[in-house]
Amino acid sequence: MRLLTPTLLLSLMASSVLALCDAHAQDGGQLEIVPPASIDAREFRSQRRSGEITASDLAALRYYKQSGQDAKFQAEVERLQRIKPGWTPPENLGAEPSGPNVQPLWDLYGEGAYAAVRARIAELRQANPDWQPPADMMQALERARQRQRLVSASDIGAQDTVIQIAEANPGLLTCESIDLIWRTAEAYAATDQPERARTRFASALRDCAAPEARVATLEKAHAALPPEATRTLLSVARNVAQRPETERAIARIEGYLDQSRLAAAADGQVNLSSAELARYGDQAKQANDPETASTLGWYHQKRKQHRQAQTWFERSQAWGGGSASGLGLVLALRDQGKTEQAEETARAHAGNRQIRDLLVGIATDRLANDGTVGPEHLKRYASLATRYENATLAMALGWEHYNSQRFDQSADWFARALTWAPSAKAAEGRVLALSQAGRLEAARETLNEWRDQYPEIADTLEVGDPASPLMQAMQREDYGACLAEAQGIEGTADYGAAEAVAYGWCLVGLNRHVEAEIRFEQALSLLDEKQQAGTDWVRLRRDALLGQATSLITLGQVQRAMQALQDADLPQEQTDRLKAQALAKYAYIAMERQRYAEVLRILEIRRRYAAPTRGLKVIQGWANYNLGNNGRAAQIFSDLNIQFSTEDTRHALAVVRKYTR
C-alpha cells in the first residue's frame, strides 16, 4: 500500500473531525450535538469541555428565542444542560440585550471572515462608545489569528516560527485542530528535535481517539521521524488503539521501517545481525519477494560476500526481479572471477544501459588482460560493439588486432571508433595501425584529418623513436611495460623531455597522478633548459602541460590545473573540455565541504563549456535541497528519475517531497 499523500492526509483529518462531531464519543458514549452553523465548531468544542456557559451560548439562545425557533431553542438548552448539569436559562433571556446584537458577528466568525469581524467591532464601538465586545469573541479572534500565523509559517518552512507560536499558544494544539499538532511536530523534527517531535505525535495518538486521526498521525510521524522514534510511537499506538484500521496501519509502517532498514544496510549505512538477516530472508522466501531478495543481494555484495550475493540475486531473478538484481548478479559473478558466466548474464540483460556498460567493461578487460580470448569471443565482442556502436569496445578490439599484428583489421576498428565517438586515442590508434600495415599514405591522410582537432597526435608518425620499447608500450597502452621501460632509462643519456612526457602519461594511465605530475614538471624543466622554439619543443611542452593539467584536475588542484591549461595554448574545443572537467572536480570538492551556494555557482559557470553530466545534476539537486530550494530540487530529481530511475533518484525524490508541501 502506498504512503498517504498530503492531500489525502488533510482529507483524513477532515473526516476525523466530522467523526468526532457526528459520532458517539469514544470516552462517554454520548451523542454530540452539532452546534449552530453560526458558531465555529472548534470554539464549540473547547467551550463544551470547559464546563462553562459562555456569552456566545447565551447569544445563540437569545437569537432562537427572539426569532421564534422554539425547537432549536429547546435543543440548545438541552445541549448546554449536558455541558453544565442543573443549569437553567436566565429568566430575562427574551428581553432585548443592552448594546448591539453580537450574533451577526458570530455568523461572520463562523464563515472565517475574521477581518470583517474586527472591522464590524470597530464600527460598533464607534457608534456605541460604552460597549465592549464579548471577551470570548476577542479570545476566539486571537486564537484564529494565531492559527493562521502558524499555518502560514509552516507552509513557507519557517519552522522556528511554528515552534514559537505553538509554545506561546498551547491551547491551539487540540484534537479538533490536529493539523496544527502535526505541523508543530514536523517543525520540531525539521529543527533536529526528534524527541520533542515524538512527544507531540505521541500526545496526538493518546488524546485524539478518532481512528482516521490515529492512522494519519502514524503516517505523518513515519515521514518526519527517525526509524527508532517511529517504532516507539507504534508501541504507543498499540497501547491506546485496539481497532483493525489502526492495527493495519501499524503493520504497514513496520513493513516500511523494515524495508528502510534493509535498504540502509544494503547501502552500507548499518549492519544487520544474523537474526535480522535470517528474518528478512525468511520473509523473502515465504513471499517469493524479488525486491527483498535483490536488496539482500546488494547487502552481501557491498560487504564483498559475493557468493551469498549471487544466491540472492539469482532468487530475485527467478521470482521476476528487474534490472537491479540483474546488474547485481553480473557484478557478483565477475567479482568471483566467473567472467564467462558474468558475461553470459550481462548479455541477457544488455538492453539495460548500466548492464550493457558493464558488459563492455568486462569485454574490454578481457581483451586487454586475458591472453586466451579466441575467435568466438572476438566475434561476439565485434557484434556487441557494432550493435551498440560502442567506441570503447571498438578501440579495445583495435588494440587486440594490433597486438596480434592484424593491422588492417585494427585500422578498421579504430575507424569505427572515430565514427561513433571521435577521440585522440582512436585517431592515434588508426594512424599507428595504418603505418604498421604499410599504408603510409592512408596514415598521413588520417593524421591530417584529425591533427587540428587532436594536436597531441600531430607527431605520431615523426616524433620519437617508434622502435623505442618505451614509446611502443605507451602507444599500445601497456602501462606496466611502459613504466618498466621508463624506470630503466631514467637518469641515463637516453632519458630526455620526450621520455619524461611519455613516463608521465603512462603513470596517468595507471592512475598514479602524484607521480605523473612530478614527471610532467620534470619534462617542463628539461624543455626550459633547452629554450628551443621548434615544432618538437612546442609539441612536447604542450603535451607536458596537458598531462600536468590532467593530473592536477584528478588531484583536486583545480586552480593550478586551470593555469596549466592556459599556458598550454590548446585548441579552444580541447581547452573547453578540460576546463569543464576541472570545474566538475571543483564542484564535487565544494559539495564535500558543504558549500552549497558555491556548488551552484560553479555548475553555472561550467555550462559555458559543457552540458551537465548526470552526476553533476545529482549534486545540483542536493545543493538546492540543502539551500531550502525544495521545489527546484524536486524538479531536478524528478527529471533524472524519468530519464533513468534508480534507487538513488527514488530516494532523493522521497526525501525532497517529504519536506515540500
Side-chain angles (χ1 to χ4, degrees):
M1 184 176 292
R2 64 185 176 87
L3 290 174
L4 297 177
T5 64
T7 301
L8 184 54
L9 287 173
L10 290 175
S11 175
L12 285 174
M13 180 200 58
S15 299
S16 66
V17 171
L18 291 174
L20 285 169
C21 185
D22 299 326
H24 286 83
Q26 294 289 324
D27 51 358
Q30 295 179 337
L31 184 65
E32 298 182 4
I33 304 299
V34 179
S38 59
I39 300 177
D40 181 72
R42 286 171 293 198
E43 288 301 309
F44 163 71
R45 292 187 178 86
S46 63
Q47 293 160 8
R48 175 177 62 78
R49 289 178 177 170
S50 70
E52 296 296 330
I53 308 302
T54 68
S56 57
D57 294 319
L58 298 179
L61 278 176
R62 185 176 292 109
Y63 176 76
Y64 295 144
K65 183 78 171 177
Q66 292 174 346
S67 60
Q69 300 182 56
D70 295 337
K72 288 188 176 181
F73 175 84
Q74 187 58 38
E76 184 70 359
V77 168
E78 292 173 0
R79 182 183 73 81
L80 295 174
Q81 286 175 338
R82 285 197 297 273
I83 294 174
K84 191 170 185 177
W87 177 84
T88 58
E91 294 181 1
N92 63 344
L93 190 63
E96 287 293 330
S98 60
N101 180 12
V102 298
Q103 185 57 40
L105 298 179
W106 283 114
D107 292 341
L108 289 171
Y109 181 89
E111 296 168 4
Y114 307 128
V117 175
R118 292 183 184 277
R120 183 59 181 150
I121 287 173
E123 293 173 0
L124 291 172
R125 293 188 68 176
Q126 186 174 7
N128 303 272
D130 295 332
W131 176 77
Q132 292 292 332
D136 59 339
M137 177 176 288
M138 300 308 295
Q139 292 168 359
L141 283 170
E142 177 60 18
R143 281 195 294 273
R145 187 178 76 86
Q146 296 298 340
R147 272 197 304 272
Q148 288 178 324
R149 287 186 62 220
L150 190 151
V151 170
S152 297
S154 176
D155 285 345
I156 65 173
Q159 308 296 4
D160 290 333
T161 302
V162 173
I163 293 170
Q164 180 183 9
I165 295 169
E167 292 181 348
N169 301 274
L172 295 177
L173 306 184
T174 64
C175 293
E176 290 73 35
S177 297
I178 194 169
D179 182 54
L180 301 185
I181 300 178
W182 293 338
R183 289 173 183 268
T184 303
E186 288 168 342
Y188 282 130
T191 53
D192 296 325
Q193 302 180 70
E195 184 55 32
R196 301 186 75 177
R198 188 198 65 79
T199 300
R200 286 292 182 194
F201 282 125
S203 69
L205 286 172
R206 283 191 294 266
D207 300 338
C208 305
E212 298 90 342
R214 280 179 169 150
V215 170
T217 297
L218 287 173
E219 297 284 2
K220 284 279 191 179
H222 174 226
L225 294 177
E228 290 310 311
T230 304
R231 288 187 188 278
T232 63
L233 281 180
L234 296 181
S235 299
V236 173
R238 281 200 179 91
N239 291 333
V240 300
Q242 303 294 327
R243 297 182 66 97
E245 54 267 63
T246 308
E247 290 297 331
R248 286 194 295 269
I250 291 171
R252 183 171 63 252
I253 293 172
E254 280 184 331
Y256 295 153
L257 292 173
D258 282 346
Q259 288 298 320
S260 296
R261 179 166 173 76
L262 180 55
D267 288 340
Q269 300 173 26
V270 296
N271 287 313
L272 301 177
S273 67
S274 56
E276 286 179 298
L277 277 174
R279 178 165 60 85
Y280 287 130
D282 289 342
Q283 290 173 353
K285 292 173 186 176
Q286 290 169 7
N288 285 353
D289 181 359
E291 294 300 323
T292 300
S294 178
T295 308
L296 284 165
W298 285 110
Y299 176 87
H300 290 295
Q301 181 68 16
K302 183 79 174 181
R303 288 155 181 79
K304 301 187 184 306
Q305 298 164 349
H306 304 304
R307 184 178 59 79
Q308 296 95 317
Q310 176 188 343
T311 298
W312 280 110
F313 286 135
E314 287 175 339
R315 285 173 176 160
S316 176
Q317 288 286 290
W319 297 335
S323 58
S325 57
L327 175 64
L329 181 56
V330 175
L331 288 170
L333 291 167
R334 183 200 66 180
D335 293 342
Q336 293 178 80
K338 300 177 180 179
T339 308
E340 195 70 37
Q341 197 175 346
E343 187 180 318
E344 181 180 349
T345 303
R347 284 201 306 276
H349 295 274
N352 177 275
R353 178 63 181 271
Q354 281 185 293
I355 298 177
R356 183 163 70 248
D357 289 346
L358 184 56
L359 174 58
V360 168
I362 292 172
T364 302
D365 287 344
R366 293 192 75 175
L367 288 168
N369 303 312
D370 191 342
T372 62
V373 175
E376 282 301 315
H377 286 91
L378 288 176
K379 182 178 178 181
R380 189 185 304 157
Y381 298 157
S383 176
L384 178 66
T386 302
R387 179 178 179 183
Y388 295 107
E389 297 186 350
N390 189 282
T392 301
L393 187 51
M395 285 197 292
L397 286 163
W399 288 117
E400 169 65 22
H401 287 297
Y402 185 94
N403 293 330
S404 300
Q405 298 186 4
R406 296 186 291 267
F407 299 117
D408 285 326
Q409 291 169 274
S410 172
D412 288 345
W413 278 110
F414 285 123
R416 296 186 195 189
L418 282 168
T419 300
W420 296 335
S423 68
K425 287 296 182 183
E428 181 184 40
R430 179 159 171 79
V431 171
L432 290 171
L434 290 169
S435 175
Q436 291 294 333
R439 298 160 61 184
L440 294 179
E441 187 61 32
R444 291 190 183 94
E445 289 177 1
T446 301
L447 187 62
N448 291 332
E449 179 183 356
W450 295 100
R451 69 192 308 164
D452 289 340
Q453 185 170 345
Y454 304 116
E456 59 266 41
I457 72 166
D459 299 306
T460 300
L461 291 176
E462 293 83 15
V463 175
D465 179 5
S468 163
L470 171 60
M471 296 301 177
Q472 285 186 341
M474 184 184 70
Q475 288 170 0
R476 67 175 182 269
E477 298 184 357
D478 186 350
Y479 299 125
C482 175
L483 181 64
E485 294 293 339
Q487 289 173 337
I489 64 171
E490 188 176 16
T492 70
D494 294 329
Y495 188 81
E499 287 70 27
V501 170
Y503 193 177
W505 281 111
C506 290
L507 288 166
V508 168
L510 293 168
N511 289 319
R512 292 165 61 170
H513 292 282
V514 173
E515 298 169 76
E517 197 274 330
I518 293 172
R519 294 307 183 282
F520 290 127
E521 186 64 36
Q522 182 184 57
L524 289 170
S525 297
L526 291 169
L527 289 167
D528 288 342
E529 290 175 6
K530 293 183 178 181
Q531 287 295 318
Q532 297 176 0
T535 302
D536 290 356
W537 186 91
V538 172
R539 182 195 64 79
L540 285 171
R541 185 173 186 278
R542 185 195 61 220
D543 287 353
L545 286 167
L546 178 60
Q548 186 179 49
T550 301
S551 292
L552 290 171
I553 289 169
T554 306
L555 295 171
Q557 298 182 34
V558 177
Q559 296 297 334
R560 287 185 62 200
M562 298 292 270
Q563 184 59 53
L565 288 174
Q566 192 69 28
D567 294 343
D569 192 25
L570 297 167
Q572 189 63 46
E573 183 178 349
Q574 190 174 12
T575 300
D576 288 351
R577 186 168 63 250
L578 289 166
K579 283 183 177 179
Q581 185 180 351
L583 288 166
K585 186 73 175 181
Y586 199 9
Y588 282 112
I589 292 170
M591 191 69 185
E592 289 174 2
R593 295 174 181 173
Q594 300 181 7
R595 300 205 298 257
Y596 304 118
E598 187 174 352
V599 170
L600 297 182
R601 182 179 60 81
I602 293 167
L603 293 179
E604 188 59 31
I605 294 172
R606 187 185 179 278
R607 286 180 182 274
R608 303 171 190 170
Y609 306 107
T613 64
R614 184 178 177 87
L616 292 176
K617 287 180 180 178
V618 169
I619 69 169
Q620 181 187 13
W622 285 118
N624 273 287
Y625 169 76
N626 282 286
L627 289 172
N629 305 327
N630 288 2
R632 177 61 180 146
Q635 183 61 55
I636 292 169
F637 290 132
S638 177
D639 290 345
L640 289 170
N641 198 56
I642 291 170
Q643 293 167 7
F644 183 59
S645 180
T646 66
E647 290 181 3
D648 288 341
T649 57
R650 293 191 293 273
H651 169 72
L653 268 177
V655 170
V656 173
R657 286 174 175 170
K658 181 170 67 175
Y659 295 107
T660 304
R661 289 188 179 274

PDB file of all heavy atoms in Angstrom, residues 7-21:
ATOM      1  N   THR A   7      -2.476  15.591   0.499  1.00  0.00           N
ATOM      2  CA  THR A   7      -3.896  15.850   0.227  1.00  0.00           C
ATOM      3  C   THR A   7      -4.771  14.826   0.920  1.00  0.00           C
ATOM      4  O   THR A   7      -5.792  15.156   1.543  1.00  0.00           O
ATOM      5  CB  THR A   7      -4.150  15.813  -1.291  1.00  0.00           C
ATOM      6  OG1 THR A   7      -3.324  16.797  -1.903  1.00  0.00           O
ATOM      7  CG2 THR A   7      -5.604  16.091  -1.598  1.00  0.00           C
ATOM      8  N   LEU A   8      -4.358  13.555   0.848  1.00  0.00           N
ATOM      9  CA  LEU A   8      -5.137  12.509   1.484  1.00  0.00           C
ATOM     10  C   LEU A   8      -5.110  12.649   2.995  1.00  0.00           C
ATOM     11  O   LEU A   8      -6.104  12.414   3.678  1.00  0.00           O
ATOM     12  CB  LEU A   8      -4.604  11.142   1.059  1.00  0.00           C
ATOM     13  CG  LEU A   8      -5.383   9.918   1.580  1.00  0.00           C
ATOM     14  CD1 LEU A   8      -6.856  10.034   1.222  1.00  0.00           C
ATOM     15  CD2 LEU A   8      -4.783   8.654   1.017  1.00  0.00           C
ATOM     16  N   LEU A   9      -3.976  13.067   3.527  1.00  0.00           N
ATOM     17  CA  LEU A   9      -3.886  13.263   4.974  1.00  0.00           C
ATOM     18  C   LEU A   9      -4.840  14.349   5.438  1.00  0.00           C
ATOM     19  O   LEU A   9      -5.497  14.235   6.466  1.00  0.00           O
ATOM     20  CB  LEU A   9      -2.453  13.617   5.362  1.00  0.00           C
ATOM     21  CG  LEU A   9      -1.460  12.456   5.284  1.00  0.00           C
ATOM     22  CD1 LEU A   9      -0.054  12.970   5.525  1.00  0.00           C
ATOM     23  CD2 LEU A   9      -1.808  11.384   6.295  1.00  0.00           C
ATOM     24  N   LEU A  10      -4.915  15.443   4.682  1.00  0.00           N
ATOM     25  CA  LEU A  10      -5.844  16.510   5.041  1.00  0.00           C
ATOM     26  C   LEU A  10      -7.273  16.012   4.973  1.00  0.00           C
ATOM     27  O   LEU A  10      -8.122  16.362   5.799  1.00  0.00           O
ATOM     28  CB  LEU A  10      -5.649  17.701   4.102  1.00  0.00           C
ATOM     29  CG  LEU A  10      -4.340  18.466   4.307  1.00  0.00           C
ATOM     30  CD1 LEU A  10      -4.200  19.542   3.239  1.00  0.00           C
ATOM     31  CD2 LEU A  10      -4.296  19.087   5.691  1.00  0.00           C
ATOM     32  N   SER A  11      -7.555  15.180   3.980  1.00  0.00           N
ATOM     33  CA  SER A  11      -8.894  14.617   3.856  1.00  0.00           C
ATOM     34  C   SER A  11      -9.222  13.749   5.055  1.00  0.00           C
ATOM     35  O   SER A  11     -10.316  13.801   5.606  1.00  0.00           O
ATOM     36  CB  SER A  11      -8.984  13.808   2.562  1.00  0.00           C
ATOM     37  OG  SER A  11     -10.224  13.155   2.480  1.00  0.00           O
ATOM     38  N   LEU A  12      -8.244  12.945   5.474  1.00  0.00           N
ATOM     39  CA  LEU A  12      -8.442  12.104   6.651  1.00  0.00           C
ATOM     40  C   LEU A  12      -8.674  12.941   7.893  1.00  0.00           C
ATOM     41  O   LEU A  12      -9.485  12.615   8.751  1.00  0.00           O
ATOM     42  CB  LEU A  12      -7.231  11.195   6.857  1.00  0.00           C
ATOM     43  CG  LEU A  12      -7.117  10.009   5.887  1.00  0.00           C
ATOM     44  CD1 LEU A  12      -5.806   9.301   6.108  1.00  0.00           C
ATOM     45  CD2 LEU A  12      -8.285   9.069   6.067  1.00  0.00           C
ATOM     46  N   MET A  13      -7.883  14.047   7.987  1.00  0.00           N
ATOM     47  CA  MET A  13      -8.054  14.918   9.139  1.00  0.00           C
ATOM     48  C   MET A  13      -9.479  15.452   9.200  1.00  0.00           C
ATOM     49  O   MET A  13     -10.133  15.452  10.239  1.00  0.00           O
ATOM     50  CB  MET A  13      -7.072  16.075   9.085  1.00  0.00           C
ATOM     51  CG  MET A  13      -7.231  17.011  10.280  1.00  0.00           C
ATOM     52  SD  MET A  13      -6.536  18.638  10.001  1.00  0.00           S
ATOM     53  CE  MET A  13      -7.416  19.181   8.589  1.00  0.00           C
ATOM     54  N   ALA A  14      -9.988  15.908   8.037  1.00  0.00           N
ATOM     55  CA  ALA A  14     -11.337  16.444   7.991  1.00  0.00           C
ATOM     56  C   ALA A  14     -12.350  15.371   8.364  1.00  0.00           C
ATOM     57  O   ALA A  14     -13.317  15.622   9.090  1.00  0.00           O
ATOM     58  CB  ALA A  14     -11.628  16.988   6.605  1.00  0.00           C
ATOM     59  N   SER A  15     -12.110  14.151   7.874  1.00  0.00           N
ATOM     60  CA  SER A  15     -13.022  13.054   8.188  1.00  0.00           C
ATOM     61  C   SER A  15     -13.046  12.770   9.676  1.00  0.00           C
ATOM     62  O   SER A  15     -14.091  12.515  10.265  1.00  0.00           O
ATOM     63  CB  SER A  15     -12.604  11.788   7.425  1.00  0.00           C
ATOM     64  OG  SER A  15     -12.656  12.014   6.049  1.00  0.00           O
ATOM     65  N   SER A  16     -11.842  12.825  10.290  1.00  0.00           N
ATOM     66  CA  SER A  16     -11.780  12.536  11.724  1.00  0.00           C
ATOM     67  C   SER A  16     -12.490  13.605  12.527  1.00  0.00           C
ATOM     68  O   SER A  16     -13.137  13.327  13.530  1.00  0.00           O
ATOM     69  CB  SER A  16     -10.329  12.406  12.175  1.00  0.00           C
ATOM     70  OG  SER A  16      -9.689  13.643  12.057  1.00  0.00           O
ATOM     71  N   VAL A  17     -12.399  14.869  12.092  1.00  0.00           N
ATOM     72  CA  VAL A  17     -13.095  15.945  12.807  1.00  0.00           C
ATOM     73  C   VAL A  17     -14.596  15.741  12.719  1.00  0.00           C
ATOM     74  O   VAL A  17     -15.333  15.880  13.696  1.00  0.00           O
ATOM     75  CB  VAL A  17     -12.697  17.317  12.218  1.00  0.00           C
ATOM     76  CG1 VAL A  17     -13.571  18.410  12.785  1.00  0.00           C
ATOM     77  CG2 VAL A  17     -11.245  17.601  12.548  1.00  0.00           C
ATOM     78  N   LEU A  18     -15.097  15.399  11.517  1.00  0.00           N
ATOM     79  CA  LEU A  18     -16.528  15.160  11.367  1.00  0.00           C
ATOM     80  C   LEU A  18     -16.964  13.957  12.193  1.00  0.00           C
ATOM     81  O   LEU A  18     -18.057  13.955  12.769  1.00  0.00           O
ATOM     82  CB  LEU A  18     -16.868  14.936   9.895  1.00  0.00           C
ATOM     83  CG  LEU A  18     -16.729  16.187   9.010  1.00  0.00           C
ATOM     84  CD1 LEU A  18     -16.946  15.812   7.554  1.00  0.00           C
ATOM     85  CD2 LEU A  18     -17.707  17.253   9.437  1.00  0.00           C
ATOM     86  N   ALA A  19     -16.074  12.952  12.228  1.00  0.00           N
ATOM     87  CA  ALA A  19     -16.422  11.776  13.018  1.00  0.00           C
ATOM     88  C   ALA A  19     -16.558  12.135  14.489  1.00  0.00           C
ATOM     89  O   ALA A  19     -17.458  11.676  15.188  1.00  0.00           O
ATOM     90  CB  ALA A  19     -15.366  10.689  12.830  1.00  0.00           C
ATOM     91  N   LEU A  20     -15.633  12.948  14.968  1.00  0.00           N
ATOM     92  CA  LEU A  20     -15.702  13.371  16.363  1.00  0.00           C
ATOM     93  C   LEU A  20     -16.975  14.168  16.638  1.00  0.00           C
ATOM     94  O   LEU A  20     -17.521  14.142  17.729  1.00  0.00           O
ATOM     95  CB  LEU A  20     -14.481  14.222  16.710  1.00  0.00           C
ATOM     96  CG  LEU A  20     -13.183  13.449  16.881  1.00  0.00           C
ATOM     97  CD1 LEU A  20     -12.020  14.416  16.941  1.00  0.00           C
ATOM     98  CD2 LEU A  20     -13.230  12.604  18.136  1.00  0.00           C
ATOM     99  N   CYS A  21     -17.422  14.905  15.617  1.00  0.00           N
ATOM    100  CA  CYS A  21     -18.572  15.779  15.800  1.00  0.00           C
ATOM    101  C   CYS A  21     -19.884  15.012  15.726  1.00  0.00           C
ATOM    102  O   CYS A  21     -20.815  15.278  16.471  1.00  0.00           O
ATOM    103  CB  CYS A  21     -18.546  16.870  14.727  1.00  0.00           C
ATOM    104  SG  CYS A  21     -19.823  18.101  14.934  1.00  0.00           S
TER     105      CYS A  21
END
